Amino acid sequence: MRAANIALLSLQACAVLGAPAPQASDEPVPTSPIVEDLNAALLSGIPEDALSAMEALDLARFEEIQELLADDASPEKRSLFGSCTLSKLRIRREWSTLTKSERKAYTDAVLCLQSKPATWPAAQGPGVKSRFDDFVAVHINQTMEIHYTGNFLSWHRYFTWLYEEALRNECGYKGAQPYWNWGLTALTGLENSPHFDGSAYSMSGNGAAVPNQGNIVITGGDGLPPIVLPPGTGGGCVTSGPFKNMKMNLGPAGLDLPGGTSTANPEGPFAYNPRCLKRDLTTAVNRKFANATSVVANIVLPQNIDAFQMQMQGIPGTGNIGIHGGGHYSLGGDPGRDFFTSPGDPAFYLHHAMIDRVWYLWQALAPNSRTKGASSVAGTRTFMNMPPSGDATIEDIVDIPYTGGAPKKIKDLLSTVSGPFCYVYL
């Protein structure tokens, strides 16, 4: 199977009933009012209830971590968190809750990163022109080893944190990485949200409208049924907001186009190919696949890490692109529909911070087994085990070169308040 077809499989998300069965190592989730509220929200299907239940779980976990990091906590408890302390703890917040000045500080830092020279060797990637591009390049380079693998969640957690570190250490950003709660934009519509309304305090808006666009057809090959998605209301170059003059330098590598086709740069994904950032905001995709109830389902239903990450990434052939694909295809455009170069859209990092938040909330329901130990990792070391590879373990190394971080073992990336990390979500 060609690489583009393999890549497209990763964005075919799983239906809830397609999730793997529980394993013997599953830790029962204790009953609590918060868990009862999550289950009630899932059964009711009311988006506002689902959003409130997630916020309650955020707050409960934050309060628990505050207690564990308190100065009067026992040395045994404190030793679990290494260098993470209350004074160092960062709080990642939803984009819409930030003040205008906080949003602008974030986008200014992104623009700063785009203005700094790359560290990626020019001989290996002549199209890598900036520090921002360094992150795109490493994602392209490792794509087939970081999706549908045992390190999918830990790799992207570390990747997003290293990007946050670059914004802070190289561009003077003082805040934490914000996240994009897809459940909110599913209610308001993407173009009406503070995230993508095109104002100076947004992540930029839609692309210019392209009339008569055809559907997006995701074809996985191997006899799997295609997934047909509607086009959005844009499709052209982004014309508003902080990133209206941004240039994409890398790719495309496997870009889905309206009309059911795809394209790739014949000179390769690392060649210099400057072009505008394009978006095709598609609220219909957001509402169908990345709504608040589907997020709660991904937190409540899976009882082991294999089931959790398969439900998030998607079981090929189920016809549901789920929360991971839902966010990517809601953005649309170039690179939003390109599995390899998707970090080229600055909104990628808000999307993957939300992916990380969902993992963080799922872990919070049973932290003893879900943030440490062998049962916290499942999967092989290659995409859908193609080519065949060994099983991933917590001792495996996550190495993301040219981003500023040292290689880390997966076991050091499982908790947001240990290893190199010290952050929570609210």
Side-chain angles (χ1 to χ4, degrees), residues 12-35:
Q12 295 186 12
C14 84
V16 168
L17 295 179
Q23 300 170 348
S25 59
D26 295 350
E27 177 187 359
V29 174
T31 300
S32 70
I34 292 174
V35 172

Side-chain angles (χ1 to χ4, degrees), residues 147-368:
H147 299 90
Y148 270 118
T149 51
N151 68 358
F152 165 70
L153 292 162
S154 55
W155 191 97
H156 284 86
R157 172 172 282 176
Y158 193 30
F159 183 67
T160 303
W161 182 81
L162 288 171
Y163 181 79
E164 177 186 33
E165 287 289 282
L167 295 178
R168 289 171 59 90
N169 297 333
E170 299 174 43
C171 288
Y173 179 57
K174 303 300 183 184
Q177 172 63 45
Y179 65 93
W180 161 28
N181 187 338
W182 324 293
L184 293 174
T185 54
L187 289 174
T188 64
L190 290 161
E191 293 168 83
N192 299 322
S193 72
H195 313 69
F196 304 113
D197 64 9
S199 72
Y201 309 104
S202 70
M203 288 299 294
S204 274
N206 205 358
V210 176
N212 304 316
Q213 295 190 94
N215 289 327
I216 307 301
V217 181
I218 305 174
T219 56
D222 285 354
L224 293 174
I227 298 176
V228 179
L229 304 176
T233 52
C237 298
V238 168
T239 60
S240 60
F243 306 115
K244 64 182 178 182
N245 297 317
M246 177 186 159
K247 295 296 182 183
M248 278 285 302
N249 295 324
L250 299 167
L255 177 64
D256 285 333
L257 298 173
T261 61
S262 63
T263 188
N265 185 355
E267 297 182 12
F270 297 101
Y272 184 44
N273 183 25
R275 61 203 187 278
C276 69
L277 170 67
K278 294 182 179 179
R279 283 193 185 144
D280 193 19
L281 297 181
T282 313
T283 296
V285 170
N286 188 178
R287 287 176 174 163
K288 184 172 183 180
F289 301 113
N291 58 70
T293 303
S294 63
V295 177
V296 168
N298 213 142
I299 295 169
V300 170
L301 296 179
Q303 296 301 302
N304 59 73
I305 188 62
D306 188 27
F308 174 79
Q309 65 191 19
M310 286 299 288
Q311 184 167 330
M312 175 178 279
Q313 294 179 95
I315 297 174
T318 60
N320 183 329
I321 68 166
I323 60 175
H324 181 229
H328 281 295
Y329 278 85
S330 294
L331 284 174
D334 175 15
R337 296 187 186 120
D338 190 332
F339 178 51
F340 294 82
T341 63
S342 53
D345 189 324
F348 171 96
Y349 297 95
L350 276 70
H351 170 55
H352 265 276
M354 180 63 180
I355 289 287
D356 186 60
R357 179 194 178 219
V358 176
W359 184 27
Y360 164 91
L361 292 177
W362 180 79
Q363 290 179 311
L365 296 181
N368 287 336

Side-chain angles (χ1 to χ4, degrees), residues 62 65-66 69 84-93 158 160-169 173-178 360 416-417 420-426:
F62 176 50
I65 288 171
Q66 281 186 305
L69 292 177
C84 184
T85 64
L86 279 179
S87 63
K88 295 179 181 178
L89 192 66
R90 295 181 201 163
I91 300 176
R92 291 185 173 182
R93 300 183 185 275
Y158 193 30
T160 303
W161 182 81
L162 288 171
Y163 181 79
E164 177 186 33
E165 287 289 282
L167 295 178
R168 289 171 59 90
N169 297 333
Y173 179 57
K174 303 300 183 184
Q177 172 63 45
Y360 164 91
T416 68
V417 288
F421 308 130
C422 191
Y423 68 87
V424 294
Y425 287 93
L426 276 181

Side-chain angles (χ1 to χ4, degrees), residues 96-140:
S96 63
T97 69
L98 303 182
T99 66
K100 287 182 176 180
S101 62
E102 288 171 334
R103 292 179 209 163
K104 190 172 187 305
Y106 179 80
T107 55
D108 282 350
V110 175
L111 291 169
C112 163
L113 207 63
Q114 292 175 353
S115 72
K116 289 187 173 292
T119 60
W120 192 274
Q124 297 179 24
V128 185
K129 299 297 185 182
S130 70
R131 282 292 286 133
F132 184 86
D133 289 346
D134 285 339
F135 288 83
V136 183
V138 74
H139 191 272
I140 294 171

